[in-house]
Amino acid sequence: MANIRDIAKITGYSVSTISRVINNHPYVDDEKRARVLAVMQELNYVPNRSAQNLSYGKTKNIGVILPFVNHEYYDQMLSGIMQAAFDHGYQISLLPTNYNQELEKTYLAEFATRSFDGLIVTTKSNPIEAFFDYFQYGPIIFCEEVPDADVSTVYINLKNSLKEAFSYMKEQGIKRPGMTLGRSKNISHNSKLSIRIAKESYPDFDEANIFWDCIMAEDGVQGARFFEKQKVDGILTFGDDIAATILQNYDGKKPLVIGREKQLISEVMGFSTIDHHLAECGKKAFEAFYFNKHEKRCIPHHFIKR
């Protein structure tokens, strides 16, 4: 198998010149560059990118911590991260946690071994303090609001989107709203915020009308039974697929339902949805990593009334 020394011997150029051509160094004579590339092609020489990355101290790989890989919310965010990563010559490693705190800590330990150049944390399972010791190993960007720490975040405008959604419910005459939320154990900042906004909008909001652990579309089947029993007349859901499943499985009079993330099903079934522009959030999160930006950036939302 050919190596750099073979190319140097054939071309008559130094090993350092061959290295500069391989690494696309700008200060190489055009004629020399063309000759080296031609010989590389003749010998079917492929540069060892792993060795190159080690020499630069870079892996060209970024880890993405997320709870699931089969959920529309994270799928949209991932699409933005992936496109930006590919545009900058980066690979991504998906690090699903299923909200397991110990597994998330394992990924952080892996980061400390320089397996990734940085981390994007779409949703954290551990308290923010668990990440502090790892900032020394590279940029860590959070895709959720972290109000109680000076860390880099690119997050959706959940606060204002929730306010707008509940305001719309009141305009439509909703008296007894319900809501679907995610994990009931180790309740997230976003869930706490959702409850707070619900109570600000509806001072008599009853937390008994929250259907917890409603994450996937199929959870909407039990959600429909729950909300029928609670006799709610409006439901703010975690996603359009959940909203659609709840409506499909309602036996009685269907409540007003609001979904999230502007999926086609919301248009087909004609219910309102919130577009948080998750792909843009993912893109900006990667850019914050790549350009090592220390910022707190909020991505605007769009409430689609139907």
Side-chain angles (χ1 to χ4, degrees):
M1 182 179 293
N3 57 40
I4 288 180
R5 290 181 176 80
D6 295 327
I7 299 170
K9 184 177 180 179
I10 293 172
T11 61
Y13 304 140
S14 66
V15 170
S16 61
T17 296
I18 308 304
S19 178
R20 285 197 294 271
V21 173
I22 291 173
N23 293 306
N24 200 28
H25 195 284
Y27 302 115
V28 179
D29 179 80
D30 289 343
E31 184 177 340
K32 289 183 178 181
R33 187 186 302 277
R35 174 63 176 151
V36 170
L37 292 174
V39 172
M40 287 173 58
Q41 187 172 8
E42 290 172 9
L43 297 178
N44 292 319
Y45 174 77
V46 178
N48 186 332
R49 294 300 178 192
S50 296
Q52 287 178 281
N53 291 338
L54 285 173
S55 68
Y56 291 135
K58 297 286 187 180
T59 66
K60 301 293 284 185
N61 186 17
I62 184 169
V64 180
I65 293 178
L66 71 173
F68 319 105
V69 295
N70 59 340
H71 191 282
E72 182 65 26
Y73 181 96
Y74 300 103
D75 186 57
Q76 289 189 32
M77 192 173 288
L78 270 176
S79 70
I81 296 172
M82 290 174 64
Q83 185 58 61
F86 294 159
D87 287 346
H88 290 89
Y90 261 78
Q91 296 178 335
I92 67 171
S93 292
L94 300 183
L95 309 174
T97 65
N98 197 29
Y99 295 124
N100 184 306
Q101 291 183 320
E102 293 307 312
L103 182 55
E104 185 173 81
K105 290 178 181 177
T106 299
Y107 294 142
L108 290 174
E110 191 175 348
F111 177 47
T113 67
R114 310 287 185 175
S115 296
F116 319 108
D117 294 341
L119 291 176
I120 294 177
V121 183
T122 63
T123 297
K124 58 183 174 58
S125 300
N126 285 284
I128 188 61
E129 291 78 12
F131 292 83
F132 288 168
D133 289 341
Y134 296 91
F135 292 138
Q136 61 184 304
Y137 301 110
I140 302 179
I141 313 299
F142 297 88
C143 290
E144 59 184 359
E145 189 175 13
V146 185
D148 50 352
D150 183 22
V151 297
S152 296
T153 58
V154 180
Y155 58 96
I156 63 174
N157 196 347
L158 184 62
K159 182 185 299 183
N160 285 351
S161 71
L162 290 171
K163 287 181 178 180
E164 191 169 356
F166 281 114
S167 176
Y168 178 71
M169 282 188 173
K170 295 182 80 169
E171 290 173 7
Q172 299 302 308
I174 300 304
K175 302 296 184 184
R176 186 175 171 80
M179 180 165 50
T180 73
L181 291 176
R183 47 186 161 147
S184 56
K185 296 179 180 178
N186 186 24
I187 298 174
S188 69
H189 166 76
N190 286 351
S191 290
K192 293 176 182 177
L193 175 64
S194 299
I195 296 171
R196 178 166 67 82
I197 299 300
K199 289 185 174 181
E200 287 178 1
S201 303
Y202 284 87
D204 59 347
F205 178 79
D206 188 349
E207 289 190 39
N209 291 335
I210 299 174
F211 184 62
W212 288 97
D213 302 306
C214 187
I215 298 169
M216 302 299 181
E218 53 267 29
D219 297 329
V221 177
Q222 292 301 316
R225 304 284 80 80
F226 172 85
F227 289 121
E228 282 189 303
K229 181 180 178 181
Q230 295 300 115
K231 295 182 170 55
V232 304
D233 53 356
I235 307 169
L236 177 58
T237 70
F238 184 55
D240 285 344
D241 49 357
I242 294 172
T245 305
I246 288 174
L247 285 173
Q248 188 178 29
N249 286 274
Y250 238 77
D251 291 331
K253 180 182 178 182
K254 298 185 187 302
L256 181 148
V257 171
I258 300 174
R260 299 190 200 181
E261 311 325 333
K262 195 187 174 183
Q263 297 178 49
L264 178 60
I265 191 65
S266 66
E267 184 177 351
V268 172
M269 295 186 69
F271 57 82
S272 299
T273 186
I274 306 169
D275 185 359
H276 285 115
H277 301 289
L278 293 170
E280 181 70 7
C281 183
K283 175 185 175 184
K284 295 302 181 184
F286 181 86
E287 291 176 354
F289 150 74
Y290 186 79
F291 295 107
N292 200 16
K293 297 179 181 178
H294 190 83
E295 63 179 359
K296 289 182 180 290
R297 181 167 188 162
C298 183
I299 304 299
H301 74 285
H302 178 209
F303 186 65
I304 303 169
K305 299 178 182 179
R306 296 192 176 103

